[in-house]
Amino acid sequence: FVGNSTYLDDHGPPPQKVLPFPSQVVYNRVGKCGSRTVVLLLRILSEKHGFNLVTSDIHNKTRLTKNEQMELIKNISTAEQPYLFTRHVHFLNFSRFGGDQPVYINIIRDPVNRFLSNYFFRRFGDWRGEQNHMIRTPNMRQEERYLDINVCILESYPECSNPRLFYIIPYFCGQHPRCREPGEWALERAKLNVNENFLLVGVLEELEDVLLLLERFLPHYFKDVLSIYKNPEHRKLGNLTVTVKKTVPSPEAIQILYQRMRYEYEFYYYVKEQFHLLKRKFGLKSHIRKPNPRPEFFIPSPLETEEPINDEEEDDEKWLEDIYKR
């Protein structure tokens, strides 16, 4: 062989990397809604499927200034695709700053159960045994750490009152200052964003069905997620993230919490209804009923998926394509 011929001379440039669609996914995970379980799964899945898992070490800054929003969006947008970015952060409008709007996903749970999980986690951590509660709240005084949950609620301590109880809705409403104010404006804006910008918002009480739909909608990211989740070794690891020393408040305290979180519950029931409609489109049974006059506190719900039903009213694949075109 003589000459200066190269591979490119004979074969042309290598083909461009074919990216899956969507190739930009954001999971702006809501605190104490199963996010550590999902992130554990994502770490395994990113290795298995070769997507770029972009995580953040910032866990306690969900509200950003305009400059911070611009900087974060710039950093996310320049990540190698396909990527899945995850962080505790309120909804970011990429298009406002000239970026391509990614696909959003998220999971929420019964608001009072979420609040109680967070209350005791901040004080006592979980079963991982790393004293992470002491790391997260090193300046918490002993009398505050052991404050009875009923006293906190009934005597209206700041931690157990609004605006701190208005927690889930801002993750979907966004960065506008009014998103932090309990009321109809934030609620309706959150619902609008769920409809227009989120591919899926699931409920933690039906996590296996959430994972099934994520695998269907985003196979490049979530293929085989349910089998990994059900693996006994992973279950053992996941159980270590369960909050310890949780106690149940009195019925009177629970009723007060429910009243204080009425907007959170209106949003939760709306998302749950939309999630059940989505499950039905893909042949998963849901027992849809009108919301109870008060929440289903600590009522265990099975995670197992029921047998599919026959529903030929709409073509699944066409409907999924329509979602991607939003």
Side-chain angles (χ1 to χ4, degrees):
F1 180 82
V2 180
N4 297 318
S5 178
T6 67
Y7 179 87
L8 289 182
D9 291 333
D10 295 332
H11 300 276
Q16 285 189 328
K17 183 179 180 181
V18 178
L19 294 173
F21 184 81
S23 61
Q24 303 168 82
V25 179
V26 171
Y27 171 34
N28 63 322
R29 60 188 193 270
V30 182
K32 306 312 296 173
C33 290
S35 63
R36 284 181 298 156
T37 296
V38 177
V39 169
L40 282 173
L41 289 167
L42 285 170
R43 287 177 181 151
I44 298 169
L45 292 165
S46 65
E47 292 288 329
K48 184 179 177 68
H49 301 315
F51 63 85
N52 183 18
L53 178 61
V54 184
T55 59
S56 173
D57 294 327
I58 302 172
H59 302 291
N60 57 358
K61 190 171 178 59
T62 57
R63 307 164 182 175
L64 309 178
T65 66
K66 182 177 178 181
N67 286 336
E68 288 171 338
Q69 291 178 58
M70 292 173 64
E71 187 66 23
L72 180 57
I73 287 172
K74 178 183 174 183
N75 290 340
I76 297 171
S77 300
T78 55
E80 181 184 355
Q81 299 182 28
Y83 70 73
L84 190 152
F85 173 77
T86 178
R87 171 178 163 175
H88 294 298
V89 65
H90 295 168
F91 175 78
L92 292 162
N93 189 340
F94 282 59
S95 57
R96 179 187 174 201
F97 300 102
D100 294 330
Q101 191 72 0
V103 162
Y104 272 85
I105 58 173
N106 218 321
I107 301 171
I108 64 173
R109 73 190 287 192
D110 179 284
V112 166
N113 280 341
R114 193 221 67 82
F115 163 74
L116 294 175
S117 181
N118 185 64
Y119 183 90
F120 292 105
F121 176 72
R122 290 183 68 245
R123 287 161 169 76
F124 308 115
D126 53 31
W127 289 107
R128 289 179 293 180
E130 61 184 39
Q131 296 296 309
N132 53 9
H133 58 296
M134 300 298 290
I135 296 170
R136 279 177 164 76
T137 54
N139 299 319
M140 185 179 281
R141 302 187 307 276
Q142 285 297 92
E143 58 267 30
E144 184 183 358
R145 192 174 300 282
Y146 290 95
L147 175 65
D148 182 87
I149 184 69
N150 290 300
V151 172
C152 185
I153 297 167
L154 297 175
E155 298 187 11
S156 299
Y157 279 66
E159 186 177 359
C160 299
S161 306
N162 277 317
R164 293 196 191 178
L165 294 180
F166 193 69
Y167 184 87
I168 297 173
I169 286 175
Y171 275 87
F172 300 87
C173 178
Q175 298 289 335
H176 193 287
R178 291 187 68 184
C179 288
R180 307 165 199 171
E181 301 170 6
E184 291 289 337
W185 189 90
L187 170 64
E188 293 306 317
R189 183 161 173 155
K191 289 180 181 178
L192 183 66
N193 276 332
V194 166
N195 293 335
E196 293 187 351
N197 292 294
F198 282 79
L199 177 65
L200 175 68
V201 182
V203 292
L204 183 63
E205 294 83 357
E206 301 169 46
L207 180 57
E208 288 195 6
D209 287 343
V210 177
L211 298 178
L212 270 173
L213 289 179
L214 284 171
E215 183 171 358
R216 182 70 180 271
F217 293 174
L218 301 168
H220 183 80
Y221 299 88
F222 287 96
K223 189 174 186 300
D224 301 324
V225 64
L226 197 56
S227 61
I228 296 170
Y229 173 72
K230 288 184 171 182
N231 183 289
E233 288 301 312
H234 182 271
R235 282 293 179 100
K236 190 187 303 180
L237 190 63
N239 287 340
L240 295 178
T241 66
V242 174
T243 302
V244 299
K245 297 189 180 180
K246 277 202 293 189
T247 59
V248 182
S250 68
E252 179 188 3
I254 284 178
Q255 190 61 34
I256 289 173
L257 273 184
Y258 183 48
Q259 293 301 321
R260 291 174 183 170
M261 303 174 83
R262 61 188 181 277
Y263 292 113
E264 294 275 275
Y265 271 101
E266 187 171 337
F267 181 72
Y268 171 71
Y269 287 130
Y270 175 79
V271 166
K272 192 172 183 179
E273 181 181 15
Q274 297 302 309
F275 180 62
H276 284 174
L277 290 172
L278 199 57
K279 283 171 58 174
R280 182 167 180 81
K281 286 179 183 292
F282 285 85
L284 301 177
K285 284 183 179 178
S286 289
H287 302 292
I288 303 175
R289 60 182 183 275
K290 295 179 68 174
N292 290 340
R294 59 191 182 87
E296 303 170 70
F297 304 111
F298 298 101
I299 297 175
S301 42
L303 290 178
E304 289 76 15
T305 302
E306 300 179 58
E307 288 299 313
I309 58 174
N310 292 321
D311 189 353
E312 299 177 354
E313 294 179 4
E314 187 169 356
D315 177 29
D316 289 351
E317 301 302 332
K318 182 181 183 304
W319 182 85
L320 187 54
E321 287 174 12
D322 291 341
I323 278 191
Y324 284 148
K325 290 174 183 175
R326 284 179 182 174

